[in-house]
Amino acid sequence: MHQRLANALSYNEFKIFYQPVVDLPTGSIVGAEALCRWPTREGNFNPPETFITQAETSGFIVQLGDWVLKTAVEQVRAWQERFTIDFHLAVNLSGRQFLHHNLMKSIEEAIQKNRYESRLLEFEITESVAMHNAEDSIGIMRQLKTRGMSLALDDFGTGYSSLAYLKRFPIDKLKIDKTFVRDIPEDSNDLAIVTAIIAMAHALGLKVQAEGVETSAQADFLRDCGCEFAQGYLFGRPLPPDEFEALLEQSSAA
Ligand code: C2E
Ligand code: MG
Ligand code: MG
């Protein structure tokens, strides 16, 4: 598998799609999450959950993640210049990549080569990644924060959700997992969970971003609860670079 993935990288088969992140009160695009795609010969896509897990298991994620970071920083930097906008780029970091000794070097290279502002770079890690080796993780999070980057806890609510750790992690944002958003506003349990996550995050001084927002009823409820940011099909699917650029063009003309 490692060899297959390495070949795919050397033949330039991987792509990055960009999903808009919007400011919920205004609906304007304030960022993008970079999501890796691997097209199949038949013209479909290999499921990211599967090939990312395989890359993680084989250790190839370190190289793939480095490529995603560098390619996405270069792309977003070009958009920032072209549209004179200040939007942030969010990149997912998997466990192996997060704890790899080369991480800071790889990030520094991406930033310096593109003269990218580190305050516009956000990293997403899941609770299990952060918790797996908590003391080391906290050290790495602190280094990233010292360099001006921000940190989000991805898929919040599906992992350990340890409150003891939550208060110790130097993070900026919680991303509410899409499984809690899906049945809003019909499911009263999900309403209670989402309301409680938002209140807790705010009490801890964290911002909140909802994932998987597909309907305006979901967006309305989240906005009323004070959720700051959202992403989901309602605002835009993950898009190839040319389509994301067209979206930016549209919104900068509006
Ligand atoms: P994630 O970081 O939680 O990304 C959000 C996932 O939700 C994406 O799935 C996205 O396509 C999907 N999504 C966005 N809006 C909606 C919506 O409105 N409804 C629904 N049902 N789904 C929505 P995707 O692209 O399949 O990626 C799956 C996971 O693979 C990501 O979850 C992330 O953990 C991982 N991944 C993707 N690219 C990378 C990468 O470059 N590096 C690492 N380490 N992981 C990655
Ligand atoms: Mg993510
Ligand atoms: Mg997520």
Side-chain angles (χ1 to χ4, degrees):
M1 197 58 209
H2 192 287
Q3 197 53 48
R4 266 193 72 202
L5 291 163
N7 288 343
L9 187 62
S10 65
Y11 291 120
N12 224 347
E13 288 178 18
F14 292 104
K15 307 284 169 227
I16 301 178
F17 277 25
Y18 298 86
Q19 183 174 37
V21 174
V22 302
D23 174 71
L24 206 40
T26 62
S28 53
I29 300 177
V30 291
E33 177 173 2
L35 293 161
C36 190
R37 294 288 180 267
W38 185 16
T40 62
R41 293 216 160 72
E42 297 75 38
N44 300 316
F45 292 101
N46 291 297
E49 307 273 11
T50 311
F51 77 80
I52 294 286
T53 307
Q54 287 164 338
E56 173 81 15
T57 314
S58 74
F60 185 70
I61 194 70
V62 175
Q63 280 145 280
L64 182 59
D66 185 56
W67 175 83
V68 169
L69 176 67
K70 288 184 172 144
T71 312
V73 166
E74 190 178 346
Q75 175 64 81
V76 169
R77 176 81 176 109
W79 286 333
Q80 284 169 349
E81 291 223 320
R82 170 141 186 234
F83 299 101
T84 50
I85 41 170
D86 222 18
F87 76 104
H88 72 257
L89 166 68
V91 176
N92 294 285
L93 291 180
S94 72
R96 274 225 92 131
Q97 209 187 345
F98 188 61
L99 292 170
H100 196 271
H101 60 86
N102 233 6
L103 178 69
M104 287 312 286
K105 185 166 167 269
S106 156
I107 295 171
E108 291 297 342
E109 282 171 4
I111 288 179
Q112 281 169 16
K113 180 165 172 265
N114 297 288
R115 292 174 295 109
Y116 195 82
E117 280 186 68
S118 51
R119 69 177 177 91
L120 297 175
L121 192 53
E122 175 174 285
F123 290 104
E124 299 189 359
I125 53 171
T126 60
E127 295 165 81
S128 46
V129 166
M131 230 70 93
H132 175 63
N133 198 333
E135 296 312 318
D136 289 352
S137 296
I138 291 172
I140 295 161
M141 290 185 216
R142 290 212 180 107
Q143 286 184 47
L144 293 168
K145 295 287 299 168
T146 308
R147 285 285 290 108
M149 293 164 246
S150 48
L151 283 167
L153 215 47
D154 207 351
D155 306 340
F156 186 75
T158 59
Y160 298 81
S161 309
S162 159
L163 303 182
Y165 276 117
L166 195 57
K167 68 170 189 187
R168 292 190 55 211
F169 289 149
I171 52 170
D172 304 280
K173 193 195 263 181
L174 290 188
K175 290 187 71 175
I176 304 180
D177 191 72
K178 51 180 175 289
T179 52
F180 302 113
V181 173
R182 195 181 49 212
D183 297 326
I184 289 176
E186 293 81 23
D187 186 310
S188 58
N189 290 333
D190 285 337
L191 289 184
I193 290 170
V194 166
T195 313
I197 292 178
I198 295 172
M200 179 191 64
H202 287 166
L204 289 167
L206 307 174
K207 305 261 192 234
V208 187
Q209 182 167 321
E211 298 183 312
V213 178
E214 296 183 359
T215 68
S216 39
Q218 291 166 344
D220 291 343
F221 177 80
L222 289 158
R223 196 182 300 110
D224 291 345
C225 288
C227 178
E228 284 91 353
F229 305 105
Q231 65 189 119
Y233 300 162
L234 178 67
F235 307 105
R237 292 188 174 252
L239 298 169
D242 55 333
E243 288 179 39
F244 190 83
E245 189 166 321
L247 189 71
L248 286 178
E249 222 153 56
Q250 251 178 42
S251 55
S252 69

